[in-house]
Amino acid sequence: MRYSLSAIIRNAATGHKHWPKVWKNPEPKQSYDVIIVGGGGHGLATAYYLARNHGITNVAVLEKGYLGNGNIGRNTTIVRSNYLCSENSQFYEHSLKLWESLSADLNYNVMLSQRGALNIFHTPAQRDAAIRRGNAFSLNGIDSVLVTREEVKKLAPLVDCSPSARFPVLGGLLQPRGGSVRHDAVAWGFARAADRRGVDIIQNCEVTGFQIEKGRVRGVETSRGPISASKVGIVVAGRSTLVAQMAGLRLPIESHVLQCFVTEPVKPVLDTVVMFAAAHFSIVQSDKGGLVFNGDLDGYNSYAQRGNMPVMTGVAESAVSFMPRLSRLRLLRHWGGINDMTPDGSPFITRTPVKGLFFNGGWCYGGFKGTPASGWTFAHLIANDEPHPFASGYTLSRFETGRVINENGAGPQPGRH
Amino acid sequence: MSGQSHRLPSGGRIDRSKTVRFSFDGRSYEGHPGDTLASGLIANGVHLTGRSFKYHRPRGITTSGSEEPNALVTTGEGGRTEPNVPATMVELHDGLVARSQNRWPSLSFDLMAVNSLLKPFFPAGFYYKTFMWPRSFWYRLYEPAIRRAAGLGTIADQPDPDVYEHSYAHCDVLVVGAGPAGLMAAQAAARAGARVVLADERAVPGGHLAGEAIEVDGRDSAAWAQGICDELDGLENVQMLLRTSVFGRYDGLTFGAVERVGDHLGNDSSGDLRQRRWTIQTRQFVCATGAIERPLVFGDNDRPGIMLAGSARHYVNQYGVLPGRKVVVATNNDDSYLTARDLARAGADVTLIDSRREKDVTGHALLPGETEVRYGQCVTQTCGKLHVSSARLADISEPDHIRSELPCDLICTSGGWNPTIHLLSHCGARPKWDSAISAFAMAKVENGVHMVGGAAGTFELQKCLQEGVAAGVAAASACSRKARKPAAPKTEKLPEYRIQPLWRLPDTISKASASFVDFQNDVTIADLELADREGFGHAEHAKRYTTLGMATDQGKLSNVNAIGVLSELRGTPIAETGTTTYRPLYTPAALGTLAGQRQGAEFRATRHSAMHQWHEKNGAVFTEAGLWLRPYYYPREGEDFAAAVKREVLNARSAVGMVDVSTLGKIELKGPDSGQFLDRLYINSFSKMKTGRARYGVMLREDGMVFDDGTVTRLADDHYFITVTTANASGVMQHMEFCHQVHWPDLDVQFCSVTEVWAAMAVAGPKARDVLSRVVDGIDLSNEAFPLQSVADARIGDAFVRVLRISFSGELAYEIYTPADCGLGVWEAIMEAGAEDGISAYGTEAMTVMRTEKGHVAGPELDGRTTADDLGLGRMMSQRKDYIGRWLSQRSGLTGAGRSQLVGLKPITNSDTFRMGAHLVTEPGTIGPDVSQGHVTTSVYSPACDHFIGLALLQDGRSRTGERVYVASPLHNEQVEAEVTGPVFVDPDGERMRG
């Protein structure tokens, strides 16, 4: 059933008894043209765009647990495209453009909210770095505005802009089109749209091995039996290294915990997404009223989706120091997602040494905002066996040549990005 | 008793000898010490306390604990404004101010309740299906409206005047929960000599015993609990933490807790300690967190006056208030019979409605003879506006046929009890369905963890006490504390707890009115049905789709009911429906408390050099680098930034200047392999450098990019001293530790950061030697005796100094290092000695100007993406040794064409300026991924050139000298034409620094 005004009214009148399942739960077939391993945001987007852009609908998305239980439901929901490296900026700008039409495209409201993304700087050196970035965005056609301290005050009155602040605000770099999206809706919207185009979304189906013959993938072993396919895409953020290992691949990825934090809901106090140069800290207020924070990585490699107290403490310090009025607001919940970190801070959308086996992962901090473009370009790669021009740099081989895409200049230690 | 209409004439564990005054929504009320805001409001007959999130339904006090979903209020004023506080957890004190929230214009007349009428259009997940047409309306109209409706309370409009702190506790045994089981466990462990921490979120010990009218050890239960607590409090090896909510368990038996130190005192002077965040590290953990009651789900089960059965008797027994006089107790288990008994004893007219058959019930023995009990019946619906006025009853076998309607002013409801297993689950363990108690419980726990009492699913008091004793003994002996097992005290015999789950009534009933599963977020049975119908039947999907369990109570009342409902809807056993994940925080904690002392000005350290006072006295404007405050420039009367910097530069270039470089990272290395260690870290060699010499060095990262630069000084055969950049000081130290510990543990070298040990200053300018010769004792500073790159120890006055002849500015220059406590004296001595030559201090900006004129690289050029060759330092890369980064720096991507290389820039028109962060383009006005060919890393006005100069990283820049490019800053709408030059603008042959 297509969602429309008349459908809403019709269903309201009949007690909402006639809404169909948002996606079917089919039994897996014995064989598909393409298998996508991982029913998270990127996997579902890939399946959707395989069907929509390439007409490939004999596709299965295999999900170990329930659909969307990975990072698509664990992030801070921020979208923006202000990336310095031009490979990243064209990719993320494509993603943001897809976000802007996604609700209409999927016939599912993902609640994109473009209230602006503001990076605050505190020192002349940080300002100069921000100018460099802002100019790079502008030259790449991405909206970008340098704002003064007075403008920061207006955009985010919650932020302490007084000169007595420990890190006084000097100004900021704003991407007006940045904002947030209702994260779970992205998974559900892509799932529904893919399902409507004939994709099989199969939950509770764990991939336990790969069938590889003479260097070519033939299918996968699963907890529900073998399924064959000549093309298989791995999109399993947080488990990338473990799943790839089953195909004999050793990836240049380390898995780290990144925590998210949400406060009790309160009446609106912050419109824009705000990030601070003085600490690894970002904040956004959700449409429900909770303030959502992000901090630094927990500091050690882990696959456990839970965080530690020192990082929570650091986030609380940042919150009340940058925004002192938050002192008596209570933190409600914190949780961990697993960030697959790469040596240059940029992802992979790439072929692998196994023919027909493709890999998408290593998203570091950019996974959520990259979801639509990731699906778009990964579908292109799988369908054509050729990288999409917007993702052609995201190869595994870039570390052999040194043509890395180092967004923030941090070293080859993945945890540093 | 003025106005306290619902206060019982006697009873309760409050201090009736004193009266406290408080206000709610502007009206003044009276209560007693020992009351909570909730009991105080009930005493005064106030039942309507809040509005729900979505439909703004009137809501009242539902519980007596931290799980309260409905009675959320805003307390305090100004900077002490605190939203969403459960009234059940606020201790009454004189002057307490509370307000209702999420209503307009008033709590009893809330226009937003119109949402309730639109309910047919607002089922779960409605926003995903709607608000899409027309497209532009989403961001112009719908979303702003949704945002405005969001949230419950409002945060403070001013900063918080109160103070917070962190404390740390280490113990053998942490007992969370001072109920019967927890008290016994703490007592047994403490008597065995274990170091015990006992924490409980309430102000009084006893857990649910504080609210019971039963006997333990022949005494009133609350008095018994207080007695144990007093004993424990007197023991040196016990720390009692009442008013302390343990909010989370983390890996390795680390716990976080918040202690409410000052909230109940009502202090209003600034600077008082309000709350303390505890980090508790324990060897053994006894989880005695009790159980939380769940409500029954029936039509309009959310009205004010509908309360959990256990909480209702808690109000009678602990606070001496009677929440209602005409009472319906609706239940499916035997615990509620205690409620019926206690309310009847307090004078209420009680009717008990039990959905079970009489033969399954054990509790009736408790009831006074006159209490009416109806078996096999249930409440199907309620009536009332701002308060419940009647309950409609039906047979459980025929729920859509209303048998009778009972007028009432209180409905006590119980759907059973859920063990409070949050702290057992935070580290990932999953609970199992226990059909004996119809609740989720932990089947087993890890080593070092004990669960007792209600938390373990044990609802019989005598057993709770025994389990507590056993766990206390076991925990103590696990810490090698020998314990004799004491006998648990005897309790009054209570009926056995039995239950028959009742998740929902058939569809026909729930259609007529709303049956709430999650109160605060207004999630109804119909919403869960819709979620299941649309495929969101998994507990995690249903939660996300309906927002069930995502309110401030985190689903403490609703999650298990929802899972029960979903399992019925899906026709799967409850054990297979799954649970959602228990995450910290068990009870929400204020950000200020979690931050503790490190906030505001103390958020991060502020580092001052030894000469900071002098800089302040001499009018320095500071800038921050690596937490250090460094003099940026020293404006004199009438000077702006540009004028001051120009004067400082000209003075250093023509006479002499001095700059504070104490912030440089400094590391001292000793050991026979020090030289070899440095050879492997730096691209150039130091093992062959002579003692008494200093040289510039560059380090790469493993990936071949430049990591850091600085000076290496050899003080003896086996003794080196290096400086590293200010911002990177700790990073370099970590890198060195990593290399030594992981790569080359065989090298005999020790090193230590001495950044704070030394003050450092650079004296630069043609008169530098003259000035220093006047104050430095012990070295011949002549060019012959002390050429460039020399190092020697000497004295200035009484102070030891180490003098290095090196130059960053390009002038004749010396760096003077002296112990930090001598820094100010040495600085002043040099200033005094230089007065006749016109010495003046210069700041970091003048330093930047001079190093830019010389083409020396610094932070903006070392941005982590540049190679040594990019920066023109390729020739320093030794071909005769291995070093970190050597091999990867030879990859084609780091050596081939197209690399951005360091160049100089000068404007075509001398008066043009350009700024750092501007980009270099060849075709102005175009946009695209290849438009930018580089960027300006540093730009300054050069007094020597009398125009702006810049350093830039430009694609293949070294081969483009003489080319014209545009320097564009689209952010500023600026664009000027410039010529690409070599990076050195002043004294390219280095004659000045050698002079």
Side-chain angles (χ1 to χ4, degrees), chain A residues 152-163:
Chain A
V152 169
K153 261 191 209 171
K154 276 187 210 134
L155 282 163
L158 191 60
V159 174
D160 180 4
C161 285
S162 70

Side-chain angles (χ1 to χ4, degrees), chain B residues 119-141:
Chain B
K119 214 165 107 223
F121 297 96
F122 294 162
F126 70 100
Y127 26 77
Y128 306 127
K129 299 186 184 111
T130 182
F131 297 140
M132 288 183 278
W133 330 271
R135 216 162 121 182
S136 64
F137 274 36
W138 165 248
Y139 57 87
R140 276 198 221 134
L141 187 67

Side-chain angles (χ1 to χ4, degrees), chain B residues 195-340:
Chain B
R195 292 174 305 145
V196 175
V197 172
L198 174 60
D200 193 287
E201 63 182 351
R202 292 177 177 275
V204 293
H208 77 95
L209 292 185
E212 299 288 8
I214 51 180
E215 285 196 347
V216 179
D217 214 7
R219 301 171 69 188
D220 164 67
S221 62
W224 172 83
Q226 189 61 53
I228 304 286
C229 189
D230 290 344
E231 177 202 328
L232 293 173
D233 222 3
L235 297 176
E236 264 186 15
N237 55 330
V238 177
Q239 178 151 27
M240 283 289 293
L241 293 173
L242 291 178
R243 299 190 173 89
T244 302
S245 172
V246 176
F247 61 72
R249 174 180 157 204
Y250 300 89
D251 287 332
L253 287 183
T254 305
F255 293 78
V258 169
E259 181 184 3
R260 304 188 303 278
V261 181
D263 289 283
H264 59 292
L265 303 173
N267 287 338
D268 54 8
S269 56
S270 173
D272 282 334
L273 180 65
R274 178 181 168 235
Q275 293 183 344
R276 181 181 288 130
R277 205 285 304 276
W278 285 93
T279 303
I280 304 169
Q281 183 65 54
T282 187
R283 297 166 74 185
Q284 298 281 309
F285 164 47
V286 178
C287 184
T289 44
I292 295 174
E293 199 165 19
R294 55 185 188 238
L296 285 172
V297 182
F298 47 80
D300 298 321
N301 57 336
D302 65 326
R303 296 187 200 283
I306 302 179
M307 185 181 277
L308 293 179
S311 299
R313 70 174 187 266
H314 199 143
Y315 282 109
V316 171
N317 295 322
Q318 184 172 353
Y319 304 107
V321 295
L322 189 59
R325 293 189 176 85
K326 182 103 179 76
V327 182
V328 171
V329 178
T331 189
N332 64 350
N333 66 80
D334 296 295
D335 182 73
S336 307
Y337 285 73
L338 273 175
T339 298

